[in-house]
Amino acid sequence: MKKVKSIVVGLIAGANVVTVLAMLLLGFSGYVSPASFPTVSSLGVLFPFALLANLFFLFLWLTFKWRMAWIPLLGFLVAYVPIRTYMPFNIPSAPPDDAIKIISYNVEGYFGEPNYKDGFHMIYRYLKEQRADIVCLQEDNDTWRKAEVFFDSIYAYNDLVKVSKPSNPIINRLGIHTRYPIIRKERIDYDSYSNGSVAWFLQVGADTLIVINNHLESTHLTKADREQYTQLVHGSMKSDTARQESRRLLSTLSRSATLRAPQAEAVHRYVEAHRGYSILVCGDFNDLPLSYSRRVVGKGLTDCFVTTGNGIGRTFYRHGMYVRIDHLFCSPDLTPYSCQIDSKFDASDHYPVICWIKKGVNP
């Protein structure tokens, strides 16, 4: 009996070690270029499952053989970096009175669906109440209602840039609405049929702040794909079908990650070429916290949510996909405060990302 128990403990310990190794592989998959290994680079989407599995082993060991709890605890320790990136925890700190308030928000063309019929006025009133200093919008497309007229009543400086190609029947615009003068703007050069990135140079007091608003390549998941994903997450799919759908969805995500990679690299090159400026990078990256594109864009920058936010921070919530795909970064000369996702405001398929920044580094 003792020998059998020893074998069972050994098997469970082995499974736990495999889980820890999987956590590391998935957690650092964003360091692999999609151009070389597209499937491997997209495996970060599975990280929360490995994290939960390791947590299960921790409870199992604490219940039946507490001395073996060192295995999952060591796993959490060695995977600290991806865990913190995916799900940070920070002591809340109120922003200083003179901090600049930023909002980044994919407004889904102001459709307000499926819950609301008048999405534009809902979002307009929301932004008016927020009184942010800089608002960066993706899918800022409500031209038939002449949105710029409404925003002129809130902000002194407003600008829209169409990023979708002329041949694309679906218009996609990036917008900035701010109380700071716009000195100039530049389109960041990379190829995309529907998406893009724009850098606005703002005059903030005596300084110039570059605000880079991004809408990177879509995941290209159809509504049916997202419904299949929901069934996978809820475990309501037969095992054979689940394996087949998992491979298919991962293949789709890998292809879109391959398209996003050069876009992210172009944004990073632009940031590197403008070192010395204060820089804010935000928008809808269409990619997860452990992705290649988020990591590349964020090189040399501070991830405002990882540094000051708490929890998973989901920004996209429709079709069962509760993920953080909207990100906000700032240059090292800026200090972020209280980055948060307003999950109470659901007039789009994304939630607004809100943060405060201030010139200077915390002592």
Side-chain angles (χ1 to χ4, degrees):
M1 186 67 181
K2 187 175 181 180
K3 186 176 181 180
V4 172
K5 183 178 179 181
S6 178
I7 292 174
V8 171
V9 169
L11 290 173
I12 297 175
N16 196 172
V17 170
V18 170
T19 299
V20 170
L21 293 175
M23 227 175 18
L24 291 173
L25 171 65
L26 302 175
F28 290 100
S29 59
Y31 285 81
V32 178
S33 170
S36 303
F37 302 97
T39 301
V40 174
S41 70
S42 301
L43 289 176
V45 69
L46 301 175
F47 180 76
F49 297 102
L51 192 63
L52 288 173
N54 197 54
L55 186 62
F56 166 78
F57 278 113
L58 177 60
F59 285 124
L60 187 67
W61 291 128
L62 290 175
T63 303
F64 296 103
K65 197 172 181 66
W66 66 269
R67 290 181 180 178
M68 299 296 291
W70 67 269
I71 300 176
L73 289 174
L74 179 62
F76 288 132
L77 181 63
V78 296
Y80 171 78
V81 171
I83 290 173
R84 175 162 173 74
T85 301
Y86 184 82
M87 187 174 56
F89 287 96
N90 297 283
I91 299 173
S93 59
D97 293 338
D98 56 348
I100 297 172
K101 185 176 182 180
I102 314 291
I103 292 180
S104 177
Y105 187 23
N106 184 324
V107 296
E108 198 190 8
Y110 302 100
F111 288 126
E113 296 176 337
N115 300 319
Y116 308 104
K117 293 181 179 179
D118 189 8
F120 172 74
H121 286 93
M122 279 190 66
I123 293 171
Y124 166 75
R125 288 191 295 268
Y126 173 82
L127 294 176
K128 187 174 183 178
E129 292 168 0
Q130 287 295 316
R131 301 174 64 86
D133 299 295
I134 301 171
V135 175
C136 290
L137 301 182
Q138 302 86 47
E139 298 186 30
D140 196 354
N141 305 333
D142 194 51
T143 54
W144 63 89
R145 289 196 182 102
K146 299 187 181 299
E148 59 270 20
V149 175
F150 287 88
F151 283 113
D152 280 344
S153 68
I154 309 177
Y155 293 104
Y157 306 95
N158 302 276
D159 192 45
L160 295 172
V161 175
K162 180 184 176 183
V163 292
S164 52
K165 288 189 174 181
S167 58
N168 190 342
I170 300 176
I171 295 174
N172 186 18
R173 286 186 171 93
L174 293 175
I176 189 168
H177 309 281
T178 177
R179 68 183 184 87
Y180 300 114
I182 299 173
I183 304 171
R184 61 188 176 93
K185 63 185 174 186
E186 292 180 348
R187 176 83 181 268
I188 297 178
D189 184 33
Y190 59 73
D191 185 54
S192 178
Y193 185 58
S194 303
N195 301 84
S197 300
V198 178
W200 281 277
F201 290 67
L202 307 184
Q203 186 70 47
V204 181
D207 297 322
T208 299
L209 172 67
I210 301 178
V211 179
I212 303 175
N213 190 4
N214 302 273
H215 191 190
L216 302 186
E217 195 73 27
S218 166
T219 58
H220 297 289
L221 292 175
T222 65
K223 183 179 179 181
D225 290 334
R226 290 168 177 172
E227 289 173 352
Q228 294 282 20
Y229 174 83
T230 302
Q231 292 182 42
L232 280 170
V233 171
H234 293 163
S236 57
M237 188 179 290
K238 292 181 180 180
S239 57
D240 290 343
T241 306
R243 283 193 293 271
Q244 182 179 348
E245 284 301 317
S246 297
R247 287 193 292 268
R248 191 179 65 80
L249 288 173
L250 189 58
S251 176
T252 302
L253 291 173
S254 299
R255 287 194 298 271
S256 61
T258 303
L259 294 173
R260 272 192 301 277
Q263 300 173 1
E265 291 160 0
V267 175
H268 173 65
R269 287 194 299 271
Y270 189 91
V271 171
E272 285 296 305
H274 292 81
R275 292 290 181 187
Y277 284 96
S278 296
I279 299 176
L280 182 74
V281 181
C282 65
D284 178 4
F285 286 41
N286 272 309
D287 226 334
L288 301 174
L290 301 178
S291 64
Y292 177 85
S293 60
R294 178 218 156 265
R295 183 187 66 81
V296 167
V297 171
K299 283 195 295 188
L301 301 174
T302 301
D303 187 311
C304 299
F305 186 80
V306 172
T307 306
T308 69
N310 285 287
I312 294 174
R314 66 185 188 190
T315 61
F316 183 85
Y317 65 94
R318 198 164 291 171
H319 306 296
M321 303 186 76
Y322 299 95
V323 292
R324 185 165 90 248
I325 60 175
D326 301 81
H327 306 284
L328 198 155
F329 300 90
C330 64
S331 52
D333 62 310
L334 300 172
T335 299
Y337 296 89
S338 192
C339 192
Q340 55 196 257
I341 285 78
D342 190 352
S343 58
K344 295 180 180 179
F345 189 68
D346 60 351
S348 167
D349 53 356
H350 291 245
Y351 292 132
V353 181
I354 305 172
C355 190
W356 288 258
I357 60 169
K358 184 180 178 182
K359 184 82 170 181
V361 181
N362 273 332

